[in-house]
Each structure stands twice: as structure tokens, then as C-alpha cells.
């Protein structure tokens, strides 16, 4: 599934649902009770989630939409999986939360940023990648929308057990 | 108490770019040591960035953030002399808080 290159509606929809499943399973969709409880302390459930089985659970929830307005900056080819530079930015107003996921990491959820009005929705960090994988960046807006970007990253030397 | 974080905050226009380099193992919990025992996860879980003592960015991190984590973000409104603080906690209960001045 290559986003942007002859992607079918079906493929896009499936990807969106899969992401919804993760986010809901991880208690990260804004309208789940878990998300509210987790806002202030480390969300062990979110970081422990690593299956797609919660997709069904998420069907009633806000569906993440693939969007050009979320910019995920990451190399196509990462030589060293232990240190992969990532940038996530968007010019959309009212960004409350930025979420970064690596599909094939043992712990899928890498980071959750709570964005205040005092900073731009523009963060960068370095992450570990166990193997080549899709990387997802999702922006959750104040109006309830969840927009995401995805990029397939090839890793030459995987981080030895992320 | 961990090692100090290196913080560089550079004024740009009306805002500032903040770059932080923290010192932390960020052990994933997936590795085994030479004797084959699993090395327990040890990583920063919560991070708070503040401007003049007021929180502007909080984050929750898993073990997927690189060792000696680097973080960059942009303050919308900051001027030279403002204090930028970075505080973190890890899953062993250790914590660290550092400050720098926008230059």
C-alpha cells in the first residue's frame, strides 16, 4: 500500500481503519474515556498495545483521515535504525496532540505530544526502528478531527530490539 | 538524578527554536545482556517543556525514542532572556529538570 501512488479508495479506507484501531486501542482518540484519564500520566495501556484487533471497537469512533496537511519528515532510507530523525509539523489550527507510531516496532507507540497554544505544531525528535516499517504521524485537532500522514521507511540496520 | 540536559534556545523572529539533548539510556526492554538475561526497560516516560515556568509542551514517550533523546520544538512568542525549562521523569522514578535562557 503506497500512499499517493495510485492508491485506491479501498486501500485508503483500510489504512484509516487500521490506524483508528490502534489509536482507539491505545486510548488515544480524543472521545474515548481512556484518553481523558491518560492525559496527565503515562498511558501504560497505550504503549502496551500492539495488535490490530481493536479495529472493530474503533468503528464508531472518529476516523483518521489521510491528509497532505500533516507533514511527516523522515528519511526514505535509514541506515541506522537506532537513530532515525523524524519531524512532524502541520499548519492546521487547533492542534491538541501529535502522535507518532512505528508499525513494526515491538512498542508501536513512540511518542505522544500535547501541544499548547504557546508552541507551533512542529516537533522533531530521533526514534528507534526495529525494522523497515510504515511510520504514522497523526495530528488530533480541537474540533475532533484526526489527520495523519504515513511514510514507508526502509531500515538497513535495525535497532537491536527497539 | 540523571545527567544534565543540554538546551539551546535560539530567538527567531518573534519566537524561538528550542533544541534539547537529554542524557538517558532509553533501554528498550527488548535486549539481552551477555549472560542472556533480559535487560529491563528503562526510558523517559514523561517530559514537560516550559517557558518562564509555564508548561508549553508535554509528552509521553515509550521505549521507541532513541538513546540520549533529541527534541526540537518552536515557541511562538519568546524573546531573548526568557527562561526555557525541560523536565523529565523515567520509569524508575528518576527525574531531571534543567533550564536555559533564550539567546
Amino acid at each position: 500500500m503506497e500512499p499517493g501512488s495510485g492508491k485506491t479508495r479501498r486501500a485508503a479506507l483500510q489504512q484509516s481503519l487500521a490506524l483508528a484501531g490502534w489509536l482507539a486501542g491505545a486510548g488515544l482518540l480524543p472521545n474515548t474515556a481512556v484518553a481523558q484519564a491518560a492525559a496527565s500520566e503515562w498511558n501504560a495501556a497505550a504503549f502496551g498495545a500492539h495488535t490490530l484487533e481493536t479495529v472493530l471497537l474503533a468503528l464508531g469512533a472518529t476516523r483518521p483521515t489521510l491528509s497532505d496537511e500533516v507533514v511527516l519528515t523522515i528519511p526514505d532510507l535509514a541506515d541506522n535504525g537506532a537513530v532515525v530523525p523524524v519531524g512532524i509539523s502541520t499548519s492546521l489550527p487547533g492542534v491538541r496532540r501529535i502522535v507518532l507510531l512505528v508499525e513494526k516496532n515491538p512498542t508501536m507507540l513512540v511518542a505522544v505530544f500535547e501541544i499548547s497554544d504557546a508552541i507551533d505544531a512542529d516537533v522533531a525528535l530521533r526514534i528507534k526502528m526495529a525494522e523497515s516499517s510504515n511510520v504514522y504521524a497523526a495530528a488530533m485537532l480541537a474540533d475532533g478531527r484526526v489527520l495523519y500522514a504515513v511514510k514507508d521507511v526502509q531500515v538497513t540496520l535495525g535497532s537491536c530490539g527497539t | 538524578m540523571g545527567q544534565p540536559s543540554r538546551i539551546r534556545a535560539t530567538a527567531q523572529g518573534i519566537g524561538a527554536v528550542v533544541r534539547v539533548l537529554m542524557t538517558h539510556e532509553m533501554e528498550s526492554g527488548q535486549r539481552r545482556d551477555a549472560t542472556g538475561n533480559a535487560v529491563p526497560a528503562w526510558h523517559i516516560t514523561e517530559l514537560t517543556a516550559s517557558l518562564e515556568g509555564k508548561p508549553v509542551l508535554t509528552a509521553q514517550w515509550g521505549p521507541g525514542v532513541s538513546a540520549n533523546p533529541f527534541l526540537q520544538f518552536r515557541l511562538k512568542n519568546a524573546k531573548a532572556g526568557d527562561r526555557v525549562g525541560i523536565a523529565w521523569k523515567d520509569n524508575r522514578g528518576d527525574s531531571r529538570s534543567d533550564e536555559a535562557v533564550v539567546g
Side-chain angles (χ1 to χ4, degrees), chain A residues 6 16 23 31 50 54 78 86 111 126 134 145 147 158 161:
Chain A
S16 168
L23 294 174
N31 51 358
H50 40 63
T54 40
V86 190
R126 295 178 190 148
N134 276 337
R145 283 188 299 158
L147 305 175

Side-chain angles (χ1 to χ4, degrees), chain A residues 12 23 26 28 30 36 42 46 53 56 66-67 81-82 88 93 99 109 112 115 119 123 127-128 132 144 152:
Chain A
L23 294 174
L28 287 172
Q36 276 139 36
W42 197 66
E53 68 191 5
L56 287 176
L66 190 61
S67 169
I88 309 145
V99 179
L109 182 57
V112 181
I115 308 292
I119 68 164
V123 294
I127 65 167
K128 299 179 210 166
S132 299
D152 179 24

Side-chain angles (χ1 to χ4, degrees), chain A residues 34-93:
Chain A
V34 196
Q36 276 139 36
S40 60
E41 59 186 79
W42 197 66
N43 190 337
F47 285 95
H50 40 63
T51 65
L52 297 176
E53 68 191 5
T54 40
V55 169
L56 287 176
L57 193 148
L59 286 176
T62 312
R63 194 181 290 163
T65 318
L66 190 61
S67 169
D68 290 342
E69 293 183 89
V70 177
V71 182
L72 173 61
T73 313
I74 186 168
D76 294 316
L77 186 76
D79 286 334
N80 181 2
V83 186
V84 184
V86 190
I88 309 145
S89 66
T90 174
S91 52
L92 293 161

Side-chain angles (χ1 to χ4, degrees), chain A residues 38-43 47 81-84 105-107 109-129 160-162, chain B residues 21 25-31 43-47 51 54-77:
Chain A
S40 60
E41 59 186 79
W42 197 66
N43 190 337
F47 285 95
V83 186
V84 184
N105 271 7
T107 303
L109 182 57
V110 174
V112 181
F113 292 95
E114 310 282 344
I115 308 292
S116 76
D117 291 333
I119 68 164
D120 290 329
D122 181 353
V123 294
L125 76 164
R126 295 178 190 148
I127 65 167
K128 299 179 210 166
M129 290 185 68
C160 179
T162 301
Chain B
L21 199 56
E25 295 292 321
M26 299 301 282
E27 188 59 59
S28 66
Q30 305 289 327
R31 269 180 351 112
H43 57 86
I44 293 175
T45 52
E46 286 163 64
L47 176 127
L51 175 65
K54 189 171 159 286
V56 290
L57 171 71
T58 62
Q60 295 181 36
W61 283 357
V65 175
S66 292
N68 298 328
F70 168 81
L71 171 70
Q72 178 182 311
F73 60 94
R74 287 166 186 280
L75 294 163
K76 281 181 183 166
N77 283 295

